[in-house]
Amino acid sequence: MILSRIKPAVGGDPPAGLNEKKNKNRTKKIPDLEEYLQQRDYLGALTLLEFQRDVGEREEHADLWMGYGAFHLGDYKRAMEVYKTLSQKAECPVEVWVYLACTMFLLGLYKEAEEAASKAPTSPLQNRLLFHLAHKFNDEKKLMGFHQNLEDVTEDQLSLASIHYMRSHYQEAIDIYKRILLQNRDFLALKVYVALCYYKLDYYDVSQEAELKNLMDISSCSFEFAKELIRHNLVVFRGGEGALQVLPPLIDVIPEARLNLVIYYLRQGEAYNLIKDLVPTTPQEYILKGVVNAALGQEIGSRDHLIIAQQFFQLVGGSASECDTIPGRQCMASCFFLLRQFEDVLIYLNSVKSYFYNDDTFNFNYAQAKAALGNYRDAEEVFLLIQSEKIKNDYVYLSWLARCHIMNQNGRQAWELYLNMGTSSDAFALLQLIANDCYKMGQFFYAAKAFDALEKLDPDSNYWEGKRGACVGIFQLILAGRESREMLKEVLALLRSSGNPQVEYIIRTLRKWAKENRVPLS
């Protein structure tokens, strides 16, 4: 291709197009700071300011603008250092103190933020910041005082909406966001906030509207803030992976961090110490305290912890803001579950079960409530929907499922559950359940097998009497034509394994009947 050149690579007259390009390049100018700021290109603005500083061309109020750019990029630590340096200068503008307080607030330094804000002159920004600090400190008196100072301007109303959201007043927050959106339809982030509020109110279909996709499509590449939130959410989405490394430093930064750390510890059985001193203020905190107390109460057999859990669940489920939400109804179901009022449990669980068809924990509780009311057919079906190996290996699950099998005349399946368990105290307890329930339901063959196994494990007990009764029961079923005559061989084998003196008399009686009725026993 080089050998096929038509025009020389060096020398000769330049083409006309090249001259035009050069002229255009001469007319191009470097964007100034104001252009970068108007385009919200804070990275570009910071780069320009640093370049001007390095070449000695200082922009007016360059340090203030560097702090502003760093803040809006989400680099709050850098912004704080800039404002701290400015605050130590004699000619420091007084508004720097409130800017410094804002950076400290977003870094979780609430006490330091309040101290810095107190040095700033009264302004709407200072009032908004102190409003949020009062919420962080749970100071209702100050909160209401700063609330009264808010005006009907966008910034103040957005601040009020965020407080409503954090206090679980989602409908009030939606009303504010929608009112602002009517006048500012290009405020796309507000559509996300509205969607989040609807999500919290359990209106999932509304929260999934297409505005979220629009926002993602136009997001800027310099959209780098909220790194802590992203790290927090990654831990949640990964089922707790990295929780101990990521969540502890975020406890005072992201409200949900403490709750998700408690959930992680709850799964590890170590949640109570983390949450025992937490004074709940939101429904989620009340629910989590209820769950932790319920788990601990069941684990150590503490009635006091179960009562505390029941009260927390009732507080949330009975509140006006939560009574018609899915978590609220689940709380009422949990409250009645602890009170063993299973008819009421089913009323609440039935109202939300369409949302939890494939949820193993929900199905576990739902099936238990069904079984407790004697609806064993439906309970068995729901138990068998569960896929979690952890739940399926739990004795509570195994014992309830075995009972359902027996009550539905499937004693063989209950016996197979026992055979798959291995040797443990839970296996012994399941044997007792199978023996007694099968006997009660007239499934004497599996009752006899269970009593036989119990007798071998504990020869000095009275399990022989249960085994004897079950063997006689099988014989009665054979006489009534409800059991196969071939079953008599199994009965004789079970009887021979006992050392009780009554065995020989019973065996003689059964053999005599078998001989008279031509039933082969060999």
Side-chain angles (χ1 to χ4, degrees):
M1 294 300 293
I2 293 176
L3 296 176
S4 66
R5 285 186 187 276
I6 298 175
K7 294 183 180 178
V10 180
D13 295 327
L18 187 59
N19 284 327
E20 290 176 10
K21 287 181 181 178
K22 285 183 178 180
N23 291 332
K24 284 183 180 178
N25 288 335
R26 289 194 193 102
T27 59
K28 282 185 179 179
K29 65 173 184 175
I30 298 174
D32 59 21
L33 180 63
E34 186 175 349
E35 288 181 59
Y36 281 121
L37 296 175
Q38 284 178 348
Q39 295 170 9
R40 297 184 182 180
D41 185 356
Y42 302 114
L43 186 60
L46 269 178
T47 304
L48 177 63
L49 288 167
E50 288 171 348
F51 172 76
Q52 290 176 338
R53 179 190 61 193
D54 292 342
V55 300
E57 299 177 4
R58 295 281 290 179
E59 181 86 27
E60 187 180 5
H61 304 307
D63 289 332
L64 277 173
W65 285 119
M66 288 187 76
Y68 179 88
F71 183 90
H72 283 81
L73 267 178
D75 192 349
Y76 305 121
K77 189 174 181 181
R78 180 178 178 182
M80 181 179 69
E81 296 301 328
V82 171
Y83 291 135
K84 272 187 176 179
T85 303
L86 279 171
S87 69
Q88 294 167 3
K89 295 182 179 179
E91 68 278 9
C92 166
V94 290
E95 64 268 19
V96 164
W97 287 106
V98 74
Y99 301 155
L100 176 60
C102 288
T103 62
M104 290 174 167
F105 177 84
L106 290 170
L107 288 169
L109 305 171
Y110 302 128
K111 289 288 185 185
E112 294 85 344
E114 185 178 42
E115 184 180 342
S118 66
K119 297 178 182 179
T122 302
S123 68
L125 178 57
Q126 184 211 41
N127 184 73
R128 290 193 294 272
L129 178 60
L130 293 174
F131 183 43
H132 280 270
L133 285 167
H135 169 71
K136 291 292 184 184
F137 296 139
N138 292 318
D139 190 329
E140 286 293 320
K141 186 175 180 181
K142 284 186 177 180
L143 185 78
M144 297 312 296
F146 295 124
H147 184 188
Q148 291 174 358
N149 295 333
L150 295 176
E151 299 177 1
D152 190 16
V153 295
T154 300
E155 292 83 355
D156 283 4
Q157 290 303 302
L158 288 174
S159 185
L160 176 59
S162 70
I163 292 293
H164 278 314
Y165 180 88
M166 289 186 285
R167 290 164 71 90
S168 302
H169 302 159
Y170 304 118
Q171 189 58 55
E172 290 85 344
I174 289 172
D175 294 341
I176 293 173
Y177 291 137
K178 285 191 171 181
R179 189 170 66 248
I180 296 173
L181 276 169
L182 286 175
Q183 300 173 349
N184 304 275
R185 294 190 177 276
D186 57 335
F187 285 11
L188 298 178
L190 296 195
K191 298 182 180 181
V192 179
Y193 303 158
V194 170
L196 286 171
C197 290
Y198 278 124
Y199 177 84
K200 291 289 188 178
L201 289 171
D202 301 324
Y203 295 128
Y204 302 121
D205 51 341
V206 180
S207 73
Q208 290 177 339
E209 291 181 353
E211 290 96 350
L212 296 177
K213 293 181 180 177
N214 292 338
L215 179 68
M216 292 174 65
D217 291 341
I218 66 164
S219 292
S220 167
C221 60
S222 63
F223 192 70
E224 297 178 1
F225 64 89
K227 292 177 183 176
E228 292 90 352
L229 182 60
I230 293 169
R231 290 170 60 222
H232 167 274
N233 288 350
L234 282 174
V235 169
V236 176
F237 297 151
R238 291 170 179 169
E241 182 183 336
L244 294 180
Q245 291 75 35
V246 175
L247 297 182
L250 300 180
I251 284 177
D252 293 322
V253 179
I254 299 173
E256 291 83 358
R258 179 187 296 274
L259 304 185
N260 284 314
L261 187 58
V262 170
I263 292 170
Y264 173 80
Y265 278 121
L266 183 62
R267 290 171 176 166
Q268 310 301 316
E270 304 170 3
Y272 183 70
N273 290 334
L274 185 64
I275 205 171
K276 65 180 180 181
D277 297 325
L278 173 69
V279 179
T281 57
T282 66
Q284 291 77 16
E285 291 171 348
Y286 278 102
I287 292 170
L288 203 50
K289 288 208 75 165
V291 170
V292 171
N293 276 281
L296 183 64
Q298 290 174 329
E299 182 181 345
I300 66 176
S302 169
R303 182 65 186 158
D304 291 340
H305 283 294
L306 293 177
I307 291 173
I308 292 170
Q310 177 254 314
Q311 290 171 344
F312 279 133
F313 290 139
Q314 191 168 15
L315 275 172
V316 176
S319 67
S321 62
E322 298 295 317
C323 63
D324 288 327
T325 66
I326 292 175
R329 294 186 180 190
Q330 286 180 290
C331 281
M332 287 308 298
S334 299
C335 170
F336 287 123
F337 201 106
L338 293 174
L339 292 171
R340 305 190 68 79
Q341 297 178 20
F342 296 107
E343 288 185 2
D344 294 316
V345 171
L346 287 180
I347 289 173
Y348 284 97
L349 292 185
N350 280 325
S351 69
V352 297
K353 73 175 183 178
S354 59
Y355 296 96
F356 297 99
Y357 181 77
N358 292 319
D359 188 293
D360 286 342
T361 302
F362 177 87
N363 285 333
F364 187 32
N365 292 323
Y366 187 55
Q368 287 181 79
K370 289 270 190 183
L373 290 173
N375 193 347
Y376 296 109
R377 184 71 59 189
D378 288 349
E380 182 180 23
E381 291 177 4
V382 178
F383 275 126
L384 294 175
L385 290 175
I386 294 172
Q387 300 297 315
S388 167
E389 290 300 322
K390 182 178 180 181
I391 294 176
K392 289 165 74 172
N393 290 324
D394 188 285
Y395 174 71
V396 175
Y397 172 87
L398 291 168
S399 60
W400 271 117
L401 181 57
R403 174 159 288 170
C404 289
H405 285 325
I406 294 165
M407 297 301 168
N408 294 328
Q409 299 298 314
N410 293 320
R412 181 181 61 81
Q413 291 178 313
W415 181 250
E416 288 176 356
L417 284 176
Y418 161 71
L419 293 177
N420 293 327
M421 280 190 73
T423 305
S424 66
S425 58
D426 287 343
F428 188 81
L430 188 63
L431 261 181
Q432 291 178 310
L433 183 147
I434 292 171
N436 290 301
D437 279 9
C438 282
Y439 195 99
K440 182 171 68 175
M441 294 302 295
Q443 298 180 67
F444 295 117
F445 176 65
Y446 292 104
K449 288 173 75 72
F451 278 122
D452 179 60
L454 288 167
E455 185 185 27
K456 290 174 181 176
L457 293 169
D458 188 5
D460 298 328
S461 65
N462 61 353
Y463 292 124
W464 154 251
E465 295 177 4
K467 177 177 170 181
R468 179 188 63 192
C471 288
V472 172
I474 297 170
F475 185 52
Q476 287 179 325
L477 292 175
I478 292 172
L479 293 176
R482 293 168 55 195
E483 194 67 80
S484 169
R485 290 186 174 193
E486 284 71 25
M487 187 68 72
L488 199 58
K489 288 188 288 185
E490 299 276 358
V491 173
L492 291 173
L494 289 170
L495 287 169
R496 288 193 188 101
S497 66
S498 294
N500 193 283
Q502 298 177 8
V503 168
E504 288 304 320
Y505 173 75
I506 298 172
I507 287 178
R508 279 200 307 270
T509 303
L510 295 179
R511 280 184 171 279
K512 181 182 177 183
W513 180 88
K515 184 177 180 182
E516 292 173 353
N517 291 272
R518 298 179 180 179
V519 177
L521 297 177
S522 57

